[in-house]
Amino acid sequence: LLGWLTLAFGMLGALFDFSENSLIWGALQTWQAGQMMTPGWVIAWKAVQHISYWLPFLGALFAAPALWQGHWAEKAAALVGSALLVPAVTGLYFPDLMLLPNLWFLLWFLALGLILWRVEQVHRKTGKP
């Protein structure tokens, strides 16, 4: 169940991120045409932007309990997906810390990459596909 929740929240986060990028692209095209965006647009954009961060954060939080049971790479991912969420979320709401959510994503994908690398090394040693 935690795996499915992690997948669902991660995929929905990617969908909202795509939506956020589409909103920005639309705003740039409007601006290029010499028109101004309404204040409501900024509210919608910020809402979609925050949801695009919150969904993967929640997915990582769901994955963390299972990851704590694993090897060092899984524990690193669990640490990123739980304890390091606090500064990442803080960065969403304080402009001086706005790079923290992006740093969180960098660490999250690094940890997941290490998990995949470790699994590949184990499969290579055992000869399992």
Side-chain angles (χ1 to χ4, degrees), residues 81-103:
S82 58
L84 294 182
L85 276 176
V86 174
V89 168
T90 303
L92 289 176
Y93 299 100
F94 294 99
D96 291 341
L97 304 173
M98 64 189 254
L99 289 178
L100 290 179
N102 295 328
L103 180 61

Side-chain angles (χ1 to χ4, degrees), residues 4 9 12 21 31 33 47 51 77 84 89 102 118-119 128-129:
W4 284 109
F9 278 88
L12 284 172
N21 294 339
W31 181 69
I51 292 170
L84 294 182
V89 168
N102 295 328
R118 184 177 175 284
V119 167
K128 294 181 182 177

Side-chain angles (χ1 to χ4, degrees), residues 11-82:
M11 295 302 288
L12 284 172
L15 180 65
F16 271 85
D17 188 53
F18 180 76
S19 300
E20 176 197 0
N21 294 339
S22 297
L23 285 170
I24 292 169
W25 181 250
L28 288 173
Q29 289 178 328
T30 300
W31 181 69
Q32 185 180 21
Q35 300 173 356
M36 296 296 295
M37 297 301 297
T38 64
W41 172 85
V42 175
I43 294 168
W45 167 57
K46 291 306 272 183
V48 170
Q49 179 188 42
H50 282 244
I51 292 170
S52 76
Y53 279 97
W54 271 102
L55 290 171
F57 287 169
L58 290 172
L61 193 60
F62 287 130
L67 292 169
W68 278 117
Q69 310 304 318
H71 200 264
W72 63 269
E74 287 89 352
K75 285 184 168 107
L79 176 68
V80 173
S82 58

Side-chain angles (χ1 to χ4, degrees), residues 95-118:
D96 291 341
L97 304 173
M98 64 189 254
L99 289 178
L100 290 179
N102 295 328
L103 180 61
W104 181 88
F105 273 104
L106 179 69
L107 294 173
W108 175 245
F109 286 113
L110 173 66
L112 295 180
L114 289 171
I115 291 170
L116 292 173
W117 175 77
R118 184 177 175 284

